[in-house]
Tab-separated table of all heavy atoms in Angstrom:
chain	number	residue	atom	x	y	z
A	1	PRO	N	-1.311	-6.456	-6.305
A	1	PRO	CA	-0.901	-5.230	-7.020
A	1	PRO	C	0.611	-5.216	-7.216
A	1	PRO	O	1.366	-5.690	-6.372
A	1	PRO	CB	-1.340	-4.109	-6.078
A	1	PRO	CG	-2.333	-4.733	-5.154
A	1	PRO	CD	-1.954	-6.164	-5.023
A	2	VAL	N	1.028	-4.663	-8.333
A	2	VAL	CA	2.462	-4.602	-8.624
A	2	VAL	C	2.845	-3.185	-9.006
A	2	VAL	O	2.024	-2.379	-9.436
A	2	VAL	CB	2.842	-5.561	-9.776
A	2	VAL	CG1	2.634	-6.999	-9.370
A	2	VAL	CG2	2.032	-5.242	-11.033
A	3	VAL	N	4.117	-2.888	-8.859
A	3	VAL	CA	4.661	-1.584	-9.230
A	3	VAL	C	4.823	-1.514	-10.749
A	3	VAL	O	5.294	-2.461	-11.376
A	3	VAL	CB	6.016	-1.344	-8.550
A	3	VAL	CG1	6.622	-0.027	-9.000
A	3	VAL	CG2	5.860	-1.385	-7.037
A	4	LYS	N	4.406	-0.398	-11.324
A	4	LYS	CA	4.573	-0.178	-12.759
A	4	LYS	C	5.366	1.107	-12.975
A	4	LYS	O	5.129	2.096	-12.295
A	4	LYS	CB	3.214	-0.075	-13.445
A	4	LYS	CG	2.345	-1.317	-13.281
A	4	LYS	CD	0.971	-1.117	-13.892
A	4	LYS	CE	0.094	-2.335	-13.662
A	4	LYS	NZ	-1.269	-2.152	-14.211
A	5	GLU	N	6.291	1.085	-13.913
A	5	GLU	CA	7.093	2.264	-14.229
A	5	GLU	C	6.928	2.634	-15.693
A	5	GLU	O	6.867	1.777	-16.561
A	5	GLU	CB	8.572	2.014	-13.917
A	5	GLU	CG	8.872	1.859	-12.438
A	5	GLU	CD	10.361	1.881	-12.162
A	5	GLU	OE1	11.096	2.494	-12.965
A	5	GLU	OE2	10.780	1.279	-11.174
A	6	GLN	N	6.836	3.941	-15.923
A	6	GLN	CA	6.754	4.446	-17.292
A	6	GLN	C	7.405	5.828	-17.341
A	6	GLN	O	7.064	6.706	-16.544
A	6	GLN	CB	5.298	4.523	-17.747
A	6	GLN	CG	5.148	4.969	-19.198
A	6	GLN	CD	3.691	4.939	-19.651
A	6	GLN	OE1	2.832	4.400	-18.967
A	6	GLN	NE2	3.432	5.515	-20.805
A	7	ASP	N	8.364	5.969	-18.233
A	7	ASP	CA	9.073	7.242	-18.397
A	7	ASP	C	9.695	7.712	-17.077
A	7	ASP	O	9.679	8.897	-16.749
A	7	ASP	CB	8.126	8.318	-18.943
A	7	ASP	CG	7.561	7.956	-20.309
A	7	ASP	OD1	8.287	7.275	-21.070
A	7	ASP	OD2	6.411	8.337	-20.594
A	8	GLY	N	10.212	6.760	-16.312
A	8	GLY	CA	10.875	7.108	-15.063
A	8	GLY	C	9.946	7.387	-13.902
A	8	GLY	O	10.400	7.664	-12.795
A	9	LYS	N	8.629	7.312	-14.115
A	9	LYS	CA	7.660	7.555	-13.048
A	9	LYS	C	7.080	6.228	-12.576
A	9	LYS	O	6.852	5.316	-13.376
A	9	LYS	CB	6.544	8.477	-13.521
A	9	LYS	CG	6.998	9.902	-13.811
A	9	LYS	CD	5.803	10.786	-14.171
A	9	LYS	CE	6.239	12.226	-14.429
A	9	LYS	NZ	5.095	13.096	-14.782
A	10	VAL	N	6.832	6.145	-11.278
A	10	VAL	CA	6.286	4.929	-10.685
A	10	VAL	C	4.780	5.062	-10.564
A	10	VAL	O	4.269	6.029	-10.012
A	10	VAL	CB	6.911	4.657	-9.297
A	10	VAL	CG1	6.245	3.456	-8.637
A	10	VAL	CG2	8.408	4.430	-9.437
A	11	TYR	N	4.066	4.076	-11.111
A	11	TYR	CA	2.620	4.013	-10.987
A	11	TYR	C	2.305	2.741	-10.198
A	11	TYR	O	2.496	1.639	-10.677
A	11	TYR	CB	1.956	3.966	-12.353
A	11	TYR	CG	2.280	5.163	-13.211
A	11	TYR	CD1	3.404	5.173	-14.029
A	11	TYR	CD2	1.481	6.300	-13.176
A	11	TYR	CE1	3.718	6.278	-14.804
A	11	TYR	CE2	1.782	7.406	-13.946
A	11	TYR	CZ	2.897	7.389	-14.763
A	11	TYR	OH	3.196	8.490	-15.520
A	12	ASN	N	1.830	2.918	-8.997
A	12	ASN	CA	1.712	1.775	-8.093
A	12	ASN	C	0.433	1.915	-7.279
A	12	ASN	O	0.275	2.853	-6.513
A	12	ASN	CB	2.930	1.727	-7.163
A	12	ASN	CG	2.886	0.531	-6.231
A	12	ASN	OD1	2.018	-0.324	-6.352
A	12	ASN	ND2	3.811	0.488	-5.306
A	13	GLU	N	-0.488	0.956	-7.443
A	13	GLU	CA	-1.718	0.998	-6.675
A	13	GLU	C	-1.448	1.046	-5.175
A	13	GLU	O	-2.190	1.649	-4.416
A	13	GLU	CB	-2.558	-0.248	-6.985
A	13	GLU	CG	-3.277	-0.205	-8.320
A	13	GLU	CD	-4.121	-1.441	-8.534
A	13	GLU	OE1	-3.611	-2.545	-8.289
A	13	GLU	OE2	-5.281	-1.297	-8.925
A	14	VAL	N	-0.385	0.393	-4.743
A	14	VAL	CA	-0.135	0.266	-3.323
A	14	VAL	C	0.441	1.539	-2.715
A	14	VAL	O	0.546	1.676	-1.521
A	14	VAL	CB	0.768	-0.958	-3.049
A	14	VAL	CG1	0.962	-1.194	-1.580
A	14	VAL	CG2	0.143	-2.190	-3.683
A	15	THR	N	0.822	2.506	-3.543
A	15	THR	CA	1.185	3.809	-2.988
A	15	THR	C	0.027	4.794	-3.100
A	15	THR	O	0.120	5.913	-2.623
A	15	THR	CB	2.413	4.395	-3.712
A	15	THR	OG1	2.101	4.559	-5.103
A	15	THR	CG2	3.615	3.481	-3.567
A	16	ASP	N	-1.063	4.373	-3.701
A	16	ASP	CA	-2.258	5.209	-3.800
A	16	ASP	C	-3.027	5.106	-2.490
A	16	ASP	O	-3.451	4.019	-2.086
A	16	ASP	CB	-3.126	4.744	-4.966
A	16	ASP	CG	-4.401	5.559	-5.068
A	16	ASP	OD1	-4.332	6.693	-5.550
A	16	ASP	OD2	-5.456	5.049	-4.635
A	17	LYS	N	-3.208	6.245	-1.826
A	17	LYS	CA	-3.789	6.239	-0.489
A	17	LYS	C	-5.182	5.615	-0.478
A	17	LYS	O	-5.504	4.796	0.390
A	17	LYS	CB	-3.852	7.667	0.066
A	17	LYS	CG	-2.502	8.251	0.446
A	17	LYS	CD	-1.965	7.586	1.695
A	17	LYS	CE	-0.714	8.301	2.208
A	17	LYS	NZ	-0.185	7.679	3.432
A	18	GLU	N	-6.027	6.004	-1.402
A	18	GLU	CA	-7.397	5.491	-1.366
A	18	GLU	C	-7.420	3.986	-1.572
A	18	GLU	O	-8.169	3.273	-0.901
A	18	GLU	CB	-8.268	6.179	-2.414
A	18	GLU	CG	-9.716	5.702	-2.355
A	18	GLU	CD	-10.661	6.534	-3.181
A	18	GLU	OE1	-10.309	7.677	-3.524
A	18	GLU	OE2	-11.751	6.029	-3.489
A	19	PHE	N	-6.583	3.500	-2.493
A	19	PHE	CA	-6.498	2.054	-2.689
A	19	PHE	C	-6.081	1.360	-1.401
A	19	PHE	O	-6.656	0.340	-1.007
A	19	PHE	CB	-5.506	1.730	-3.807
A	19	PHE	CG	-5.267	0.248	-3.986
A	19	PHE	CD1	-6.067	-0.494	-4.830
A	19	PHE	CD2	-4.244	-0.385	-3.295
A	19	PHE	CE1	-5.851	-1.870	-4.983
A	19	PHE	CE2	-4.027	-1.748	-3.443
A	19	PHE	CZ	-4.829	-2.490	-4.286
A	20	ARG	N	-5.083	1.912	-0.733
A	20	ARG	CA	-4.572	1.280	0.483
A	20	ARG	C	-5.615	1.273	1.592
A	20	ARG	O	-5.752	0.281	2.308
A	20	ARG	CB	-3.307	2.010	0.952
A	20	ARG	CG	-2.117	1.820	0.040
A	20	ARG	CD	-0.936	2.620	0.525
A	20	ARG	NE	-0.645	2.298	1.922
A	20	ARG	CZ	0.081	3.074	2.720
A	20	ARG	NH1	0.568	4.217	2.272
A	20	ARG	NH2	0.301	2.713	3.959
A	21	TYR	N	-6.346	2.377	1.763
A	21	TYR	CA	-7.359	2.416	2.814
A	21	TYR	C	-8.538	1.506	2.476
A	21	TYR	O	-9.111	0.867	3.357
A	21	TYR	CB	-7.870	3.845	2.999
A	21	TYR	CG	-6.811	4.853	3.375
A	21	TYR	CD1	-6.910	6.177	2.949
A	21	TYR	CD2	-5.716	4.496	4.153
A	21	TYR	CE1	-5.949	7.114	3.292
A	21	TYR	CE2	-4.746	5.419	4.483
A	21	TYR	CZ	-4.866	6.729	4.054
A	21	TYR	OH	-3.914	7.659	4.388
A	22	ARG	N	-8.904	1.454	1.191
A	22	ARG	CA	-10.079	0.678	0.795
A	22	ARG	C	-9.774	-0.822	0.787
A	22	ARG	O	-10.614	-1.634	1.155
A	22	ARG	CB	-10.550	1.138	-0.584
A	22	ARG	CG	-11.970	0.748	-0.905
A	22	ARG	CD	-12.411	1.320	-2.228
A	22	ARG	NE	-12.497	2.765	-2.243
A	22	ARG	CZ	-13.500	3.477	-1.712
A	22	ARG	NH1	-14.481	2.854	-1.100
A	22	ARG	NH2	-13.498	4.797	-1.777
A	23	GLN	N	-8.580	-1.172	0.329
A	23	GLN	CA	-8.179	-2.578	0.298
A	23	GLN	C	-7.022	-2.785	1.273
A	23	GLN	O	-5.896	-3.090	0.875
A	23	GLN	CB	-7.785	-2.991	-1.120
A	23	GLN	CG	-8.926	-2.909	-2.114
A	23	GLN	CD	-8.597	-3.558	-3.443
A	23	GLN	OE1	-7.876	-4.553	-3.508
A	23	GLN	NE2	-9.129	-3.004	-4.515
A	24	ARG	N	-7.311	-2.576	2.535
A	24	ARG	CA	-6.262	-2.663	3.556
A	24	ARG	C	-5.597	-4.038	3.551
A	24	ARG	O	-4.399	-4.161	3.839
A	24	ARG	CB	-6.850	-2.363	4.936
A	24	ARG	CG	-5.821	-2.370	6.047
A	24	ARG	CD	-4.809	-1.230	5.897
A	24	ARG	NE	-5.311	-0.004	6.487
A	24	ARG	CZ	-4.693	1.165	6.411
A	24	ARG	NH1	-3.554	1.273	5.745
A	24	ARG	NH2	-5.211	2.236	6.969
A	25	TYR	N	-6.353	-5.072	3.229
A	25	TYR	CA	-5.784	-6.419	3.191
A	25	TYR	C	-4.635	-6.495	2.187
A	25	TYR	O	-3.593	-7.096	2.473
A	25	TYR	CB	-6.879	-7.436	2.851
A	25	TYR	CG	-7.931	-6.920	1.896
A	25	TYR	CD1	-7.739	-6.962	0.523
A	25	TYR	CD2	-9.103	-6.349	2.378
A	25	TYR	CE1	-8.684	-6.462	-0.356
A	25	TYR	CE2	-10.062	-5.846	1.510
A	25	TYR	CZ	-9.855	-5.906	0.137
A	25	TYR	OH	-10.785	-5.397	-0.728
A	26	ALA	N	-4.804	-5.874	1.006
A	26	ALA	CA	-3.712	-5.863	0.020
A	26	ALA	C	-2.560	-5.000	0.503
A	26	ALA	O	-1.386	-5.336	0.315
A	26	ALA	CB	-4.231	-5.361	-1.329
A	27	ASP	N	-2.886	-3.871	1.125
A	27	ASP	CA	-1.867	-2.981	1.684
A	27	ASP	C	-0.993	-3.724	2.683
A	27	ASP	O	0.235	-3.616	2.677
A	27	ASP	CB	-2.579	-1.793	2.342
A	27	ASP	CG	-1.633	-0.744	2.880
A	27	ASP	OD1	-0.521	-0.592	2.331
A	27	ASP	OD2	-2.007	-0.054	3.852
A	28	LEU	N	-1.620	-4.509	3.555
A	28	LEU	CA	-0.875	-5.242	4.580
A	28	LEU	C	-0.002	-6.332	3.970
A	28	LEU	O	1.089	-6.611	4.472
A	28	LEU	CB	-1.853	-5.856	5.586
A	28	LEU	CG	-2.639	-4.862	6.452
A	28	LEU	CD1	-3.768	-5.565	7.190
A	28	LEU	CD2	-1.725	-4.148	7.434
A	29	ILE	N	-0.475	-6.959	2.888
A	29	ILE	CA	0.332	-7.986	2.230
A	29	ILE	C	1.590	-7.382	1.630
A	29	ILE	O	2.700	-7.897	1.797
A	29	ILE	CB	-0.485	-8.687	1.118
A	29	ILE	CG1	-1.638	-9.502	1.715
A	29	ILE	CG2	0.421	-9.610	0.291
A	29	ILE	CD1	-2.621	-10.004	0.678
A	30	ILE	N	1.426	-6.279	0.923
A	30	ILE	CA	2.526	-5.714	0.144
A	30	ILE	C	3.481	-4.879	0.993
A	30	ILE	O	4.690	-4.843	0.733
A	30	ILE	CB	1.965	-4.841	-1.004
A	30	ILE	CG1	1.105	-5.696	-1.937
A	30	ILE	CG2	3.068	-4.159	-1.776
A	30	ILE	CD1	1.865	-6.801	-2.635
A	31	ASN	N	2.969	-4.200	2.001
A	31	ASN	CA	3.786	-3.253	2.779
A	31	ASN	C	3.981	-3.741	4.207
A	31	ASN	O	3.149	-3.481	5.077
A	31	ASN	CB	3.113	-1.875	2.787
A	31	ASN	CG	3.074	-1.243	1.410
A	31	ASN	OD1	4.076	-1.241	0.701
A	31	ASN	ND2	1.928	-0.710	1.024
A	32	PRO	N	5.074	-4.434	4.500
A	32	PRO	CA	5.304	-4.919	5.865
A	32	PRO	C	5.396	-3.792	6.890
A	32	PRO	O	5.069	-3.982	8.056
A	32	PRO	CB	6.623	-5.704	5.764
A	32	PRO	CG	7.268	-5.228	4.498
A	32	PRO	CD	6.151	-4.846	3.584
A	33	GLU	N	5.820	-2.576	6.441
A	33	GLU	CA	5.907	-1.465	7.384
A	33	GLU	C	4.528	-1.041	7.880
A	33	GLU	O	4.395	-0.504	8.989
A	33	GLU	CB	6.637	-0.279	6.748
A	33	GLU	CG	5.909	0.401	5.597
A	33	GLU	CD	6.152	-0.249	4.251
A	33	GLU	OE1	6.712	-1.374	4.212
A	33	GLU	OE2	5.788	0.369	3.225
A	34	VAL	N	3.491	-1.297	7.087
A	34	VAL	CA	2.128	-0.988	7.532
A	34	VAL	C	1.715	-1.949	8.650
A	34	VAL	O	1.099	-1.557	9.634
A	34	VAL	CB	1.143	-1.046	6.353
A	34	VAL	CG1	-0.295	-0.844	6.833
A	34	VAL	CG2	1.506	0.015	5.321
A	35	ARG	N	2.066	-3.227	8.495
A	35	ARG	CA	1.778	-4.177	9.570
A	35	ARG	C	2.466	-3.749	10.860
A	35	ARG	O	1.908	-3.888	11.951
A	35	ARG	CB	2.231	-5.581	9.162
A	35	ARG	CG	1.474	-6.144	7.972
A	35	ARG	CD	1.566	-7.665	7.914
A	35	ARG	NE	2.932	-8.152	7.806
A	35	ARG	CZ	3.593	-8.288	6.645
A	35	ARG	NH1	3.002	-7.942	5.508
A	35	ARG	NH2	4.818	-8.751	6.625
A	36	GLU	N	3.663	-3.197	10.750
A	36	GLU	CA	4.390	-2.758	11.941
A	36	GLU	C	3.700	-1.579	12.602
A	36	GLU	O	3.699	-1.464	13.839
A	36	GLU	CB	5.827	-2.401	11.576
A	36	GLU	CG	6.697	-2.013	12.762
A	36	GLU	CD	6.807	-3.103	13.817
A	36	GLU	OE1	6.655	-4.297	13.481
A	36	GLU	OE2	7.020	-2.759	14.997
A	37	VAL	N	3.099	-0.672	11.827
A	37	VAL	CA	2.343	0.445	12.406
A	37	VAL	C	1.251	-0.073	13.323
A	37	VAL	O	1.078	0.416	14.455
A	37	VAL	CB	1.733	1.325	11.288
A	37	VAL	CG1	0.667	2.271	11.860
A	37	VAL	CG2	2.817	2.131	10.595
A	38	PHE	N	0.521	-1.081	12.879
A	38	PHE	CA	-0.599	-1.560	13.683
A	38	PHE	C	-0.146	-2.446	14.838
A	38	PHE	O	-0.839	-2.558	15.846
A	38	PHE	CB	-1.624	-2.237	12.779
A	38	PHE	CG	-2.345	-1.225	11.921
A	38	PHE	CD1	-1.970	-1.019	10.600
A	38	PHE	CD2	-3.352	-0.448	12.450
A	38	PHE	CE1	-2.597	-0.062	9.824
A	38	PHE	CE2	-3.981	0.522	11.682
A	38	PHE	CZ	-3.611	0.709	10.370
A	39	ARG	N	1.025	-3.064	14.701
A	39	ARG	CA	1.596	-3.741	15.874
A	39	ARG	C	1.948	-2.713	16.945
A	39	ARG	O	1.705	-2.928	18.139
A	39	ARG	CB	2.843	-4.526	15.479
A	39	ARG	CG	2.572	-5.796	14.700
A	39	ARG	CD	3.810	-6.684	14.648
A	39	ARG	NE	3.604	-7.830	13.777
A	39	ARG	CZ	3.981	-7.884	12.506
A	39	ARG	NH1	4.602	-6.848	11.960
A	39	ARG	NH2	3.755	-8.954	11.772
A	40	LYS	N	2.530	-1.584	16.530
A	40	LYS	CA	2.879	-0.535	17.497
A	40	LYS	C	1.623	0.048	18.140
A	40	LYS	O	1.615	0.354	19.332
A	40	LYS	CB	3.688	0.571	16.818
A	40	LYS	CG	5.143	0.230	16.601
A	40	LYS	CD	5.907	1.443	16.087
A	40	LYS	CE	7.395	1.164	15.991
A	40	LYS	NZ	8.145	2.355	15.520
A	41	ARG	N	0.579	0.232	17.337
A	41	ARG	CA	-0.670	0.739	17.895
A	41	ARG	C	-1.188	-0.216	18.972
A	41	ARG	O	-1.599	0.213	20.053
A	41	ARG	CB	-1.713	0.913	16.788
A	41	ARG	CG	-3.057	1.402	17.309
A	41	ARG	CD	-4.147	1.345	16.254
A	41	ARG	NE	-5.439	1.535	16.875
A	41	ARG	CZ	-6.197	2.609	16.749
A	41	ARG	NH1	-5.785	3.617	16.000
A	41	ARG	NH2	-7.360	2.692	17.351
A	42	ALA	N	-1.174	-1.519	18.677
A	42	ALA	CA	-1.643	-2.494	19.660
A	42	ALA	C	-0.776	-2.468	20.917
A	42	ALA	O	-1.279	-2.548	22.048
A	42	ALA	CB	-1.650	-3.887	19.040
């Protein structure tokens, strides 16, 4: 997934909560801070 911008607004699948929860594997690839959350949980 990639960030898309139109008219100054950001349209990004990876900031969409449902996308991130459903495709956690993509979320973890794109957002290193998410990987850190689960390291802290562990």
Side-chain angles (χ1 to χ4, degrees):
V2 294
V3 177
K4 301 176 183 178
E5 293 191 27
Q6 183 176 349
D7 299 328
K9 293 185 178 180
V10 175
Y11 301 88
N12 182 6
E13 284 182 314
V14 185
T15 60
D16 178 77
K17 288 289 188 179
E18 182 169 341
F19 175 89
R20 291 177 54 199
Y21 301 148
R22 199 176 294 282
Q23 297 191 34
R24 183 66 85 185
Y25 34 85
D27 184 29
L28 293 168
I29 293 169
I30 299 297
N31 294 314
E33 67 274 12
V34 175
R35 296 201 300 274
E36 184 59 26
V37 166
F38 289 99
R39 286 194 186 96
K40 282 187 174 181
R41 178 190 167 109

